[in-house]
Every structure is written in structure tokens, then in C-alpha cells.
Amino acid sequence: MSYLERVFRMTEEDNRRAILDMLPAGRGGALLDVGCNAGELTTRVARRLGARRVVGIELLEEYAQAARQRGVEAVAGDVDGGLPFDDEEFDVVHSNQVIEHVRRTDRFLCEIRRVLTPGGLACLSTNNLASWHNVVSLGLGYQPTPMHVSDEVVVGNPLDPWRGRSHEEGRAHVRLFTARALSELAEHHGLCTELLVFRGYYPLPPRLAQAAVRLDPRHAAFFIALLRRV
């Protein structure tokens, strides 16, 4: 594994820890994890919240099955088609590294609001389009690493450690956000931003990245938005 791959993996975990820190400990209630994968992060979020019910939706049945083995009520489905749940069914909706894969982002946010109870929380994390590694890539004439142009292969940036590989599970990024764009779109759909947290600063490892983020948060690698249904 290359240095950049190791930094990427460490930064992803640092971002997951930041998500847990943002969520209200012991809130309880019902949790929905949109894009629950195999349920590992879902169960960590559920423990933080003290959730009485833990539900997930995942594109691939094999991952949904793995999440079920962790105790998650997981269903397989494509979120572009909506969320197969009742109105006001959940107190918290969590979704990490999913919205960048979604083509119908307006419907995605509308559906999150619909399934939230009044005053319920949504915690969404995604790549930051405004990160310095994206800005520098454009300055060099390279494709920003999280902005994909193919559904089949990663191309366009010779510095990308995944260049030439196929996308994991065939899912490319189709919509990239700045923090401002996500906040404004969420507000348009009835979700008010309560808190924004930024994490990662490539090519720095997490400890050095945290110092850089404190000085310049808007150009971090990832951001997390804590939203409230209004």
C-alpha cells in the first residue's frame, strides 16, 4: 500500500471518529443509516446514540446481509429511487460518503427530511470539492481525484493512487459538493445546518492534518454536516 493510500485510509477513519463525536450521546430513538455497507460504522453510530432501533439501506444485497448479521435491520435498495420507509419514522439519519454517488440529490435530501421526525437530525459526510488537493490538481491540469468522469475506470490524475483501477463496486462519484453548496441545498429542502466539521488535509497524515484544518478548515478533504429537520 502506497503512502497516499495509507493516508487516505487513516483520514477516512479520522472522519468516522469525528462523525461519532458530533452525534448526541445517548439520544436514543430510531436510527437510519443510508448506505450502511456491512454495518460496521452503523453499529458504532448506534452505540453512540443509544439507538433503540437500527435500520440500514444498502445498494448491494451481500453488504445488507452482512449488516443484518451485525443486528442491523438492513434492506437492499437504490436510494436514487427513494427511501422505502414511512414518514417521520426515524429520529436520526446518518449517511457517510454516499451523497457523492447519488444522481438525484434533491430527492435524496427530500427523502431524508420526510423520514425524519420533526426536529430530527441528519448527519451527512462527503468529499469536499473545495479541498486544496482538488484545487491544486486543477491548477496542474489534472482531474480532481474524487471527481470521476467514468463509471468504469479512474483516470485523469497521475498522482491518484487509484488511477487505472475500476471503481469499487462500480460506483463512481457523480455529484461533488462544497460545504456551502450542501448547506444551501439542504436548507432548500427543509434541513437546517446546525454544525459543520472538517477533516483531512492531503497529503498530511491525520495528526498534522488536524493542525492544518484548524488554520484553514474550508479546504479540508472531507466535511460533515449536522442538519436538523425544520
Side-chain angles (χ1 to χ4, degrees):
M1 184 182 294
S2 70
Y3 169 78
L4 289 177
E5 285 178 284
R6 290 197 302 273
V7 168
F8 177 75
R9 304 271 184 216
M10 290 189 293
T11 302
E12 282 195 319
E13 175 56 25
D14 185 53
N15 191 66
R16 288 189 284 264
R17 289 196 296 267
I19 289 169
L20 296 174
D21 288 342
M22 289 176 69
L23 292 168
R27 178 187 174 95
L31 165 68
L32 171 63
D33 194 1
V34 180
C36 65
N37 200 266
E40 191 275 335
L41 181 56
T42 314
T43 56
R44 292 168 68 182
V45 170
R47 284 196 299 269
R48 168 72 175 180
L49 293 168
R52 60 172 171 76
R53 183 185 175 210
V54 184
V55 180
I57 182 169
E58 169 56 41
L59 179 67
L60 301 176
E61 172 58 33
E62 62 186 280
Y63 286 142
Q65 178 60 37
R68 291 182 201 116
Q69 293 173 359
R70 285 189 162 98
V72 180
E73 296 177 36
V75 299
D78 188 343
V79 299
D80 268 327
L83 298 176
F85 306 108
D86 292 336
D87 295 354
E88 302 181 4
E89 189 171 349
F90 300 99
D91 302 282
V92 177
V93 173
H94 166 261
S95 187
N96 180 39
Q97 308 298 301
V98 172
I99 196 170
E100 64 269 22
H101 298 279
V102 174
R103 298 182 188 279
R104 303 178 67 185
T105 49
D106 292 286
R107 183 170 188 184
F108 181 76
L109 291 168
C110 281
E111 285 288 277
I112 287 175
R113 184 187 185 280
R114 179 183 65 79
V115 301
L116 275 173
T117 56
L121 295 175
C123 185
L124 309 183
S125 181
T126 188
N127 303 82
N128 182 14
L129 178 59
S131 67
W132 271 124
H133 67 277
N134 288 337
V135 174
V136 170
S137 292
L138 285 170
L140 293 172
Y142 299 158
Q143 185 73 15
T145 53
M147 184 178 288
H148 300 145
V149 295
S150 168
D151 292 329
E152 297 179 4
V153 65
V154 178
V155 294
N157 191 325
L159 302 176
D160 190 337
W162 279 269
R163 184 168 67 106
R165 302 186 196 179
S166 59
H167 295 292
E168 291 185 10
E169 313 303 341
R171 292 304 301 265
H173 295 168
V174 295
R175 293 283 180 95
L176 240 61
F177 289 83
T178 63
R180 184 185 184 96
L182 182 57
S183 291
E184 289 185 2
L185 187 61
E187 184 174 358
H188 175 74
H189 291 297
L191 296 165
C192 178
T193 301
E194 296 224 321
L195 182 63
L196 285 170
V197 169
F198 297 82
R199 278 295 185 273
Y201 211 94
Y202 297 140
L204 302 176
R207 184 170 294 180
L208 292 176
Q210 287 176 10
V213 169
R214 283 194 292 269
L215 294 172
D216 180 27
R218 298 295 174 177
H219 293 97
F222 296 103
F223 66 87
I224 310 160
L226 188 66
L227 312 168
R228 186 178 297 276
R229 175 183 164 170
V230 293

